[in-house]
Structure formats: C-alpha cells, structure tokens
Amino acid sequence: MGGSNSSPRRGKGTVVTESDLPVVEMIRPRWGNPATPGSLPPVAEQALGALGVTGPRPAVAPDQIEVALSVLTDDARRAIADIVGAEHITVDDVERIQHTRGYSTPDLLKMRAGDVTDAPDAVVFPGTHEEVVAVLGACAEHRVAVVPFAGGTSVVGGLVAARDGFNGVVALDVRRLDRLVAVDEVSRTATLEAGMRGPLAEQLLNAQGLTLGHFPQSFEGASIGGYAAARSAGQSSAGYGRFDEMVVGLVVATPRGTLTMGTAPKSAAGPDLRQLVLGSEGAFGVITAVTVEVHPVPAVRRFEGWHFASFADGAAALRTLVQDGPLPTVVRLSDEVETAVNLADPTGATESAGGCLVITGYEGEATDVANRREMASAVLTARGGTALGEQPGEAWRAGRYRGPYLRDPLLDAGVLVETLETVTFWSNLDTVKAAVTSALTESLGGQGTPPLVMCHISHVYHSGASLYFTVITAQGDDPIAQWQQAKSRANAAIRSAGAAITHHHGVGTDHRDTFAEEIGPIAVEVLAAVKNTLDPVGILNPGVLIGTAH
Amino acid sequence: MGGSNSSPRRGKGTVVTESDLPVVEMIRPRWGNPATPGSLPPVAEQALGALGVTGPRPAVAPDQIEVALSVLTDDARRAIADIVGAEHITVDDVERIQHTRGYSTPDLLKMRAGDVTDAPDAVVFPGTHEEVVAVLGACAEHRVAVVPFAGGTSVVGGLVAARDGFNGVVALDVRRLDRLVAVDEVSRTATLEAGMRGPLAEQLLNAQGLTLGHFPQSFEGASIGGYAAARSAGQSSAGYGRFDEMVVGLVVATPRGTLTMGTAPKSAAGPDLRQLVLGSEGAFGVITAVTVEVHPVPAVRRFEGWHFASFADGAAALRTLVQDGPLPTVVRLSDEVETAVNLADPTGATESAGGCLVITGYEGEATDVANRREMASAVLTARGGTALGEQPGEAWRAGRYRGPYLRDPLLDAGVLVETLETVTFWSNLDTVKAAVTSALTESLGGQGTPPLVMCHISHVYHSGASLYFTVITAQGDDPIAQWQQAKSRANAAIRSAGAAITHHHGVGTDHRDTFAEEIGPIAVEVLAAVKNTLDPVGILNPGVLIGTAH
C-alpha cells in the first residue's frame, strides 16, 4: 500500500502524535504494527494465577494453516480481472487468510486454532470508483458474494459473508483507493478515498495544517471507508464529533451504479440519506470516498487526570460538562475496577488512590484551551473531583492505541479477554452497567471462570453516554463457546435494560439478531427494501447487518 | 384545541418571550393570531408606487367560497368514525377549507381567489396513537388518501395529495395529540405529542424550568410533528441545533403498524433510521410523538446588532464564529438590500448606515453568556464589525414572528411577496446567492415586474450556511403563473449552482421534481422502496416528497 511513512513528522513535545504513527500492515491473527508487538507487563504475568489460568495456549503457526481451494469460477475471475487487471485479483493463500474475518476475540481464537473456513475465494484490489462499480456488476452477474474490505478491523463479524446461493465470496479490498482527493479550505472539508488509513489521512491533512480529529483505538489499522460504513466514534468525539457527524458527503458504488450524496451540510431536502449509508456496513454499497469536516491542527493539546470517589460521581460530573458545558475534547471515566486494574494508567500513578479516574483532554488554540480548561476544571472540582495533573492524562494519551496489543500475549498466556459496548440515556446508565456486569459475571462464573469486568465511559452526549466493558478471565476448554455464552447473556441484558446493542463496534453478524429485535420487524423490512433496491441480487456482505432471508 | 393560553406568563424584562405567545387557530388565508392582524407600515404604503403596484387585490370573502361535495364513501366514513368517534370526523365546509393547502404565496393566492379544489373530503381528529394506526389501516382498506396535518403551515405544497386512484382524501389532523408525555430531567429529554404547538410546548416545558429552544418563524402555528416531518430549523439553531438534531426518539404510525425509534442518543446499530423519518413529510408514516433534547430556561438572553461594510465581510465573520468559535445562540446576516429595506429592523435604527446588519443573540447562564459574548464580540470586531448595541437585536427579537403577518396586507395591496431558501457550502455561497438573485430578477423583470430581492443568512454550519431570499414585486395579471415562472428559474439556478433545493421549508410537491434531480434516480427509488414497505397501498400524502409513479 502506498503512503507508508518512512520519515514520520515529529509532533510537538515528546508525545507521539497520530501523524507520527506509520501506516502498517497488520498480520493476522495479531494486532497492530508488527514492529512494536505487545508484551505482558510483569504485573499481568503475576495476575495470571489469580485468574485461574491453567497454562499457555499457543497459536497454530501461520504457515501451518491450510485454506480450502478457491471455488471462484474461471469465468467470474476473468470478468473481474478484465476490470481491475489480472495483477489486482489474487487467490493466493496468504492474501486469502489475511482477508479472513476481523479482530474480535472469537475471530482471533478461530485463526489461532487454524480455522480459516471463512476465507474468501479471492481478493480483489480495484483502483478506482468506476472499477468498484464494474466489479459489483460483474459479481452480481456471476452471483459472487462481495465482502467490502477496508481496514479489516471489524470486531463484530462484519467481514464474514453468507455463502449459500453464491458462487463463492470475494473480498473487495479498497486499499488502492487511498488518495486525498480535495481540500476545501473555506468550507473546511476534505474528500478522502475509502481505503486511506487513519495515519496517512492525518499525515496528508497535517501537511496542510489540518486534522480530521478522528482517533478510534483501531486508528493504526482502520480506514476511512470503514469509519463511515460502521459509524466509528473516536476518542476525541466530544471535541470533533463522531465520524457520522463529520461526514458531509459520500460516494457509494452499488451494483445499480453510483450514489452521490451531500449537496449541502444540512438541509430539509427529504430524509438524510447519508445517515442511511453510514452504518450500512457494506450491505447497501461500497463507500469509495467521503467528504468530511476538517479542523486546524490544534496549537495546544493538554491532557489531565481527575480522581472521583465513585463511578456515579464521575458520571454526574461528565453529564454536567456535556449538558451545561464546557466540553473538553476528550472525556473518559473508568469505573472502580478499571481504575484499580489500571488499564487506563499503565504507569501506576493512581493505583493506590481507589475511586475512579477521569481523563480530560483539550485541543485547540491556546486561549480557547485555557478558557475551556479553566471552566471545565471548576465544574469537575465542584462535582467532587480532585485534579491529578497532567501525568495520568499524558500516560493515557501515550498508551491510547496500545490496549489491543495486549490481547495477543494474553491469549497466548491462556487468558480470555474481550470487549463489548453499548450506549443509553443518562437516566438508564447505572441500570445498564449493573445488568451487563451481572450477566457477564454470572455467565462466566457459572462456567467456572469468574471474570474481572471493567467498564468506562468514553463518549458522552447531551442525553446519554456509552459504556465500554472489558472482560478478562481464564480460557476454558472451548474458549469460543465460553465467550459466546457470556456474550449472548450480555446482549440479552443490554436488550432487557433498553440500551442499544452497540455504540461504535457495529452490527456485523455477531449483533445482527439482537439488532433486529432492537429496531423491530418493520424496520428490518425497511432495511431489506433498501438493500433490495441497491443490490437486487443480494451480493453485498450477505448476512451482515440484516439476515439473508429477507 | 386544549391549552390555549388565557393567562400568559410574563417573560423577563419587557420583551415578549415564546411562552407568552398564545396558542391560536389561524384562519386561512391569513397568517397568525387573528387578534393581532398585520398592517402595512406607512413607509411600505409609500413604496407601493415605486414597485409599480397597480391597485388593491382584495380576497374573495371566506363565506363566498364554495367547496365541492365530499366524495368520501359512507363506508369509509363509518369505518373511520368507528375508530375515532363520530364527533371526530367532519365533512363540514369550514373545516375542509381550513385544511386546504398551506401557507405558500401561491396557496394564499388560490384561496384568495376562492379556489379550494384541493380541499380534503373530510377531516379526522384522532385522539391517540393507536387511533392513528387504526385510521391508516381503514384508509388503506378503503383506498382513501391521507394528508397528515399538524400545524398546517407548509409553504411547499406539503398538504396537497394526489387524488388519482383514491376514493377521496382525508386530512388527518393530530391537534388532539397535544400532551407533554414525559420529562426525563436527568437525560434532559422530553416526549411531546405531534399535535402540540410551539407556544404550548414552551409553556409546559417552561413550567418545569426547561425550554426546547426551537423558534422557527412559523412558531405560532407550527406543531411538533411538523417540525420533525419537515426538518424544521429554528432561529436559535446555532445554539440549540436544528430540530432533526434535537430529536432522539420517534413514534410513527404507519399503515403497517407502529415504528418506535431511538434506543439511544447515538449508536452504531445500523443506519440511523430516525434520519429517514425526519424529512419524510408524512409520506412514510404519521409521527405521533417525538422525544427531544431540552435545556434549562436561559437565565440571560442578550441580543445585539453589528454593522458590516458588506455581505461578504459579514459572512466571513459568521464563518469564523462557527468554525473557530465561540458560536452565539442566534446569528443572522442581512445583505445590503435587506438591511436597507430594513425588514430586519422595523424601527429604522440602522436604515441610514448602509452595509449589512448582523444580529447576534446569546442565551444561557450569566457567566456563559458573558464569556461567549466577549469572545464572539472580539471575533466580530476583528473581522471588521462595528457594534450597534442591544437596540437592533431587541428590535429583531421583538419582531421575529411578525414578518409573515405583513404578507396578507401586501397581497391585499397588490404586491407579490414570497420567500425561498437554500443551503450550500461556504466556498459556494457567493455563487449561489448571485445565481438565485439573477434568476429572480431576470424572470420577474422579463415579465414587466422588476423585483426587490433581499437575502439573509440565518443558519450556519461548520462547512456552510443557509441563504434565505425574500422577493417583492407588483402582482401581474396572473400572479400565480408569474411567481411559478420565477420560482422555476430560481430552482434551476439553485440546482445549477450545486446547492440544495431547500434548507428548512421542505420538499412538498413544489420542490419534488428538483429534489428528485438533486438526489438522483437511484436515491428516489430507495425512498420509493421505503414508502412501499411502510405504506403498500400508497395512501400517505401521495405525490408529496416523491412522485406517485414509483
């Protein structure tokens, strides 16, 4: 992939900024930059016994994994090769394995066990929007299912297509669509192609004094198209908005042709169809470019920690900030367990303090940052917070993309670790948190593997907030089944408590049935009607978002 | 309708606030509170000659208007009466006339000429959501078209249903659905039924210390359901957001049953289907209740005027405020013509200054207002603005709902007056403004009635702004045809310049064809597929939003 960063720009100060991160190719099943693999800190090694971990669970070596023969017909392969060029379609085993599933823990466990039964039959790398449209047409004609593939970082089974009724599955990898198409400095927008990774977007925008401000934990791997298709929310969403709020325009390839959306920032010209494509997860079309709001590179970035006596106190403080202002650029609250386990602060600075850690971050012009920080600090203090200074904030900032790197050595060591998330209204927050925690604790405890369940708030809204859970326990004999039971119980708890099945991970196949319950059968029919209009043969990500029976 | 305000609460200071406005029933064809009719100021009387107005054009007296016999079958009428009660369905001529069309100038001209050919065959007043669902079922069974009717203030032909293929048309008036259903003080949301008018909503919310903050010019007449169905934007949108941004939940009655939306403020659980119903203008279903964000009643409201040398200077200043902050609660910019004609300032205080008038308004806690005002004032000054103090701001605020009252006496006097609006990106603003102004000037000038074309910005976004045009000229022999030609030319200019066909007036029937060009044929098919799923017989507002051929 083009644009890899051999000479990274240095950020201000000593902290690595987003544009310093290189564009890397992750190597499944492991997460992140292969040059900086994760390793367990000594404290984690010591804790393995307490979790009841019985011993290491090494992964099958990649070169020992066997993938089934491709079933793609020669006719279909030729038709696609005629469009993209023979060098841009491959049935190579390594590429097929590298396009198998995403990065959920079950995905990794399957890959670690050598199971690549969901491998695509071929991988296609179109170079233009027009090629994407043509490939979709050819796949419809040949009844080949298509998995749109951008960063490949789905954690909800968004890259696993149903095969029934299709002559094979191809992964349509948009990595060659990685151009910065246009910048409108007056309107403060930029048009980016879908295959561009987060680090490259920041490098190219930063060079023009601009930033997207979208920094999800998957930043190193995820792509612009995936941000849009799956309604990504970055860690700075309080300041820069969710990705679906940043998007003003979309170009979408469908088997029926091209959809171009976004005549104006906002209008009353009918329903906002952008919001129908955002979150459609490749089931309605392939997003090939987005036009997004951009912002000046902040002159100042300041991150701080605050201590609160309890999660309830911290949540009340965050609610005051978002409802009455001023809102920092980043706000996070770890619950008592997460604060104690200290994932939010790997340096250990707050470990012995008890209570809960809040991280606040401010980005912008110096005066703006100073004003917002002063006012927000007054709110946090009035709400019972104690300032911890910049150290916990900078520690969080320095490690903000490192969390997922820990999962691989934990899985190696025999630990089961996974995350799940939801969002609800403020008045329902405590109920949802307790219900999900109980479901996970009871399910895993009942299986003889009592878990540690941690939770944080990382995204706040006027009327509600996200809840992000991290679960750690010992792997049982069948860790996939073990987790599936726990996840199923958590999903049911989320539904019963009236929260949304996902805040930013998306629906994929893992959440599809619960999502259908959440929106109800008539709304599912609406989605199916939209899909059927844009994709009459049903080749696009079959089984993702909605079932294939419709 | 219940809740009329016989004992209005007094606002702070001497300015009438929104909750002081009574809930009134407008009497077509005239706008607004019948107790406070509009009259022309002496300066306008003097200007009639300059416009080339040839003489008064009195309206046909209401009691002289004849409405055709209702074609609703007895079977259909009985089926509906069985659901809502015989007293809640009427074929009374006065009610049918009062539910005929909306408040566009062509609508008024038709009514003033005694043309009520679009009158519904009956008016139905359901009392509950369940009754609405049942009425839609009965109408589908009897093939009766349904015009969902809330405030009835559409200015884009949103209340005129195609009759072809239907056994008559009923207006489904939701005025009896006017309850404040729930307030969630923690999440700062309120659930309001669709028939509640703006003034009643403010009265009931204010009594709990809350405000919706949604104040469109149609405030006295429009209803919650219409705000949602037509993507309303209020004059305080910079501070409180557009209505589609305030909505977190919707209850929608369709011929297929009930759709309930809004599990959480924001999520990644698929496309945001709320944004598919918002702007659907009654074509997909009848919105019966919405859950919206609410805010504390502001302790302080301060409105001010600023003078800028030109529209370009003023627009650049507004752009800086919205892109770099801080954003006032209200920001408006009148162009040179509008400033001179002084519609923005009926007191005449800025008339002789030339240039352009900017209005800024700040609402909130005293400290917040003081801080934002100080910082925004520094931006406006740095951008070339001259402070005019509170007088122009308070004058605008006092007259903010009076503009439409002027139209009736102007039409009486032989003047043609109408408004239209659009929205585009900042970099395209000047192009669009010039193109629309030219189209209107050339079309009306070519017809021998040179117009005065005024423009203002009243809604700003990170990447763009609205443009609102007011056109005044002498009525020709056939003022409806005269305006239709001008409007058609303006629509074409908006399309050619790449702007949206409407910012907040909506699509209705007037903008339907241009809207179809704007979104393209595949997107129109998507909307038709959604409609066909929710309304298989096609009874809901046929011909509104999308054509009936689909």
Side-chain angles (χ1 to χ4, degrees):
Chain A
M1 167 168 190
S4 86
N5 185 7
S6 55
S7 163
R9 284 175 75 246
R10 281 288 112 197
K12 294 181 187 64
T14 57
V15 172
V16 172
T17 66
E18 282 67 26
S19 60
D20 296 323
L21 291 166
V23 174
V24 298
E25 290 308 315
M26 300 187 186
I27 300 171
R28 276 154 222 266
R30 300 187 93 79
W31 178 265
N33 187 347
T36 56
S39 62
L40 288 189
V43 62
E45 297 275 11
Q46 294 157 19
L48 296 181
L51 279 174
V53 170
T54 54
R57 301 280 185 105
V60 171
D63 59 3
Q64 298 299 308
I65 297 178
E66 285 188 29
V67 56
L69 279 178
S70 169
V71 304
L72 193 68
T73 65
D74 287 346
D75 279 358
R77 186 174 167 182
R78 261 195 302 272
I80 295 169
D82 284 349
I83 295 162
V84 298
E87 69 275 30
H88 297 306
I89 176 168
T90 181
V91 293
D92 172 69
D93 283 358
V94 171
E95 283 290 2
R96 289 174 61 206
I97 291 171
Q98 284 307 313
H99 288 80
T100 301
R101 309 190 194 99
Y103 274 96
S104 71
T105 293
D107 287 349
L108 301 195
L109 288 168
K110 286 177 189 170
M111 184 74 80
R112 294 168 62 91
D115 170 2
V116 289
T117 47
D118 293 312
D121 295 292
V123 185
V124 183
F125 301 92
T128 64
H129 168 82
E130 290 70 27
E131 286 185 6
V132 177
V133 173
V135 167
L136 296 181
C139 288
E141 188 184 335
H142 292 272
R143 293 195 72 83
V144 173
V146 176
V147 177
F149 197 102
T153 59
S154 171
V155 291
V156 291
L159 302 165
V160 179
R163 293 172 166 272
D164 284 0
F166 295 101
N167 301 318
V169 175
V170 298
L172 192 154
D173 188 323
V174 294
R175 70 177 59 192
R176 290 175 64 214
L177 301 175
D178 68 347
R179 292 182 310 142
L180 172 59
V181 178
V183 170
D184 179 342
E185 289 184 10
V186 175
S187 308
R188 293 234 181 119
T189 63
T191 301
L192 310 169
E193 287 188 322
M196 183 179 286
R197 304 290 175 90
L200 180 58
E202 284 303 310
Q203 288 159 25
L204 296 176
L205 290 171
N206 285 185
Q208 303 199 34
L210 299 168
T211 180
L212 183 51
H214 186 71
F215 308 123
Q217 200 176 41
S218 60
F219 180 75
E220 290 163 281
S223 294
I224 297 295
Y227 292 161
R231 290 187 171 267
S232 177
Q235 293 166 340
S236 307
S237 68
Y240 298 100
R242 301 162 52 88
F243 200 76
D244 51 23
E245 295 170 329
M246 298 177 184
V247 171
V248 296
L250 291 156
V251 182
V252 188
T254 82
R256 295 282 312 284
T258 297
L259 272 176
T260 306
M261 294 169 164
T263 310
K266 299 274 183 180
S267 85
D272 190 343
L273 293 173
R274 296 173 295 202
Q275 299 296 329
L276 191 60
V277 169
L278 296 163
S280 65
E281 300 190 5
F284 294 170
V286 179
I287 296 165
T288 59
V290 299
T291 301
V292 285
E293 296 176 355
V294 292
H295 305 264
V297 171
V300 174
R301 294 173 141 193
R302 183 170 175 129
F303 290 78
E304 297 177 324
W306 288 79
H307 176 265
F308 281 83
S310 68
F311 183 80
D313 286 355
L318 266 52
R319 181 164 67 83
T320 302
L321 288 177
V322 69
Q323 290 182 340
D324 296 333
L327 197 53
T329 309
V330 171
V331 278
R332 306 172 64 85
L333 164 65
S334 292
D335 75 354
E336 291 84 350
V337 181
E338 184 169 295
T339 301
V341 171
N342 208 9
L343 282 183
D345 179 13
T347 67
T350 61
E351 190 167 19
S352 59
C356 291
L357 178 66
V358 162
I359 300 292
T360 54
Y362 307 88
E363 299 187 358
E365 291 302 307
T367 312
D368 169 56
V369 165
N371 284 338
R372 274 195 296 154
R373 179 177 166 270
E374 184 187 332
M375 291 188 283
S377 298
V379 170
L380 293 167
T381 304
R383 283 296 196 161
T386 306
L388 301 174
E390 293 191 61
Q391 193 280 330
E394 290 299 331
W396 171 79
R397 179 180 162 189
R400 63 197 285 187
Y401 306 117
R402 294 300 297 175
Y405 283 83
L406 283 176
R407 189 166 48 164
D408 299 321
L410 285 168
L411 291 171
D412 290 339
V415 175
L416 182 71
V417 54
E418 181 58 305
T419 63
L420 58 87
E421 32 82 82
T422 182
V423 53
T424 191
F425 294 97
W426 286 111
S427 57
N428 198 33
L429 203 71
D430 291 344
T431 302
V432 174
K433 183 172 186 290
V436 174
T437 303
S438 290
L440 291 166
T441 305
E442 286 168 19
S443 168
L444 290 164
Q447 297 182 65
T449 51
L452 206 56
V453 180
M454 301 173 273
C455 183
H456 65 244
I457 292 174
S458 46
H459 304 271
V460 295
Y461 306 99
H462 176 93
S463 58
S466 67
L467 287 171
Y468 192 95
F469 297 87
T470 303
V471 188
I472 299 183
T473 189
Q475 288 180 35
D477 293 338
D478 182 348
I480 294 175
Q482 176 193 12
W483 175 248
Q484 274 172 344
Q485 190 203 99
K487 172 74 174 169
S488 172
R489 291 283 301 276
N491 288 355
I494 286 170
R495 275 291 302 144
S496 300
I501 189 58
T502 172
H503 172 264
H504 59 271
H505 281 174
V507 176
T509 48
D510 294 354
H511 291 151
R512 184 186 61 211
D513 295 345
T514 315
F515 170 61
E517 290 171 28
E518 180 179 321
I519 67 173
I522 299 176
V524 172
E525 275 190 58
V526 167
L527 294 178
V530 173
K531 179 174 177 63
N532 192 47
T533 302
L534 297 174
D535 175 25
V537 184
I539 57 166
L540 281 164
N541 244 0
V544 169
L545 188 68
I546 53 175
T548 53
H550 298 282
Chain B
M1 163 167 194
S4 85
N5 185 7
S6 55
S7 163
R9 282 176 74 245
R10 281 287 113 197
K12 294 182 186 64
T14 56
V15 173
V16 172
T17 66
E18 282 65 26
S19 61
D20 295 324
L21 291 166
V23 174
V24 298
E25 288 309 313
M26 299 187 187
I27 300 171
R28 274 155 224 263
R30 301 187 92 80
W31 178 267
N33 187 347
T36 56
S39 62
L40 289 189
V43 63
E45 297 275 9
Q46 294 157 19
L48 296 182
L51 280 174
V53 170
T54 54
R57 302 280 184 106
V60 172
D63 59 3
Q64 298 298 308
I65 298 177
E66 282 188 31
V67 56
L69 278 177
S70 170
V71 304
L72 192 69
T73 64
D74 287 346
D75 278 359
R77 187 174 166 183
R78 259 195 303 273
I80 297 170
D82 283 350
I83 296 161
V84 297
E87 69 277 30
H88 296 307
I89 175 168
T90 179
V91 292
D92 172 68
D93 283 357
V94 172
E95 283 290 1
R96 289 174 62 205
I97 291 172
Q98 285 306 313
H99 289 80
T100 301
R101 309 191 192 97
Y103 273 96
S104 71
T105 293
D107 287 349
L108 300 195
L109 288 168
K110 286 178 189 170
M111 185 73 81
R112 293 169 62 91
D115 171 0
V116 289
T117 48
D118 293 312
D121 295 292
V123 184
V124 183
F125 301 92
T128 64
H129 168 82
E130 289 70 26
E131 285 185 6
V132 177
V133 174
V135 167
L136 295 181
C139 288
E141 188 185 335
H142 291 272
R143 293 195 71 84
V144 173
V146 177
V147 177
F149 197 103
T153 59
S154 171
V155 291
V156 292
L159 302 165
V160 178
R163 292 174 166 272
D164 283 1
F166 295 102
N167 301 319
V169 175
V170 299
L172 191 155
D173 187 323
V174 294
R175 71 177 59 192
R176 290 174 63 212
L177 301 174
D178 68 347
R179 291 182 310 142
L180 171 58
V181 178
V183 170
D184 178 342
E185 289 184 11
V186 175
S187 307
R188 290 233 183 123
T189 63
T191 302
L192 310 169
E193 286 187 322
M196 184 180 286
R197 304 288 176 90
L200 181 58
E202 284 302 311
Q203 288 159 24
L204 296 176
L205 289 171
N206 285 185
Q208 302 200 35
L210 299 168
T211 179
L212 184 50
H214 187 70
F215 307 122
Q217 200 177 42
S218 60
F219 181 75
E220 290 162 280
S223 294
I224 296 296
Y227 293 160
R231 290 187 170 268
S232 177
Q235 294 165 339
S236 307
S237 68
Y240 297 100
R242 300 161 53 87
F243 201 76
D244 51 23
E245 295 170 329
M246 299 175 184
V247 171
V248 295
L250 291 156
V251 182
V252 188
T254 82
R256 296 282 311 284
T258 297
L259 272 175
T260 306
M261 295 170 162
T263 310
K266 300 274 183 181
S267 85
D272 190 343
L273 294 173
R274 296 173 296 202
Q275 298 296 330
L276 193 59
V277 169
L278 296 163
S280 65
E281 301 190 3
F284 294 171
V286 179
I287 296 165
T288 58
V290 298
T291 301
V292 286
E293 296 176 353
V294 292
H295 304 265
V297 171
V300 174
R301 294 172 141 195
R302 183 171 174 129
F303 290 77
E304 296 176 325
W306 290 77
H307 176 264
F308 282 82
S310 69
F311 183 79
D313 287 355
L318 265 52
R319 180 164 68 85
T320 303
L321 288 177
V322 68
Q323 289 182 341
D324 296 332
L327 197 52
T329 310
V330 171
V331 278
R332 306 172 66 84
L333 163 65
S334 293
D335 75 354
E336 291 84 349
V337 182
E338 185 169 294
T339 301
V341 170
N342 207 10
L343 282 182
D345 179 11
T347 67
T350 62
E351 191 167 18
S352 59
C356 291
L357 178 67
V358 162
I359 299 292
T360 55
Y362 306 88
E363 300 186 357
E365 291 301 307
T367 311
D368 169 58
V369 164
N371 284 337
R372 275 195 296 153
R373 180 177 165 269
E374 184 186 333
M375 293 189 281
S377 298
V379 170
L380 293 167
T381 302
R383 283 296 195 161
T386 306
L388 300 175
E390 291 191 62
Q391 193 279 330
E394 290 299 332
W396 171 79
R397 179 180 163 190
R400 65 198 286 189
Y401 305 118
R402 294 299 296 175
Y405 282 84
L406 283 176
R407 188 166 49 164
D408 300 321
L410 284 168
L411 291 172
D412 289 339
V415 175
L416 183 70
V417 54
E418 182 58 307
T419 63
L420 58 87
E421 32 81 83
T422 181
V423 53
T424 191
F425 294 98
W426 285 111
S427 58
N428 199 33
L429 203 70
D430 291 344
T431 302
V432 174
K433 182 172 186 289
V436 174
T437 303
S438 290
L440 292 166
T441 304
E442 286 166 21
S443 170
L444 289 166
Q447 297 182 66
T449 50
L452 207 57
V453 179
M454 301 173 273
C455 184
H456 65 245
I457 292 173
S458 45
H459 304 272
V460 294
Y461 306 99
H462 176 92
S463 59
S466 66
L467 288 170
Y468 191 95
F469 297 89
T470 303
V471 189
I472 299 183
T473 191
Q475 288 180 35
D477 292 340
D478 183 347
I480 294 174
Q482 177 193 10
W483 175 248
Q484 274 172 343
Q485 190 202 98
K487 172 74 174 170
S488 173
R489 291 283 299 278
N491 288 355
I494 286 169
R495 274 291 302 143
S496 301
I501 188 57
T502 172
H503 172 264
H504 59 271
H505 282 174
V507 176
T509 49
D510 295 353
H511 291 150
R512 184 186 62 212
D513 296 345
T514 316
F515 170 61
E517 290 172 27
E518 179 178 321
I519 66 173
I522 300 177
V524 173
E525 276 190 57
V526 167
L527 293 178
V530 173
K531 179 174 176 62
N532 192 47
T533 303
L534 297 174
D535 175 26
V537 183
I539 57 166
L540 281 164
N541 244 358
V544 169
L545 188 68
I546 54 174
T548 53
H550 298 282

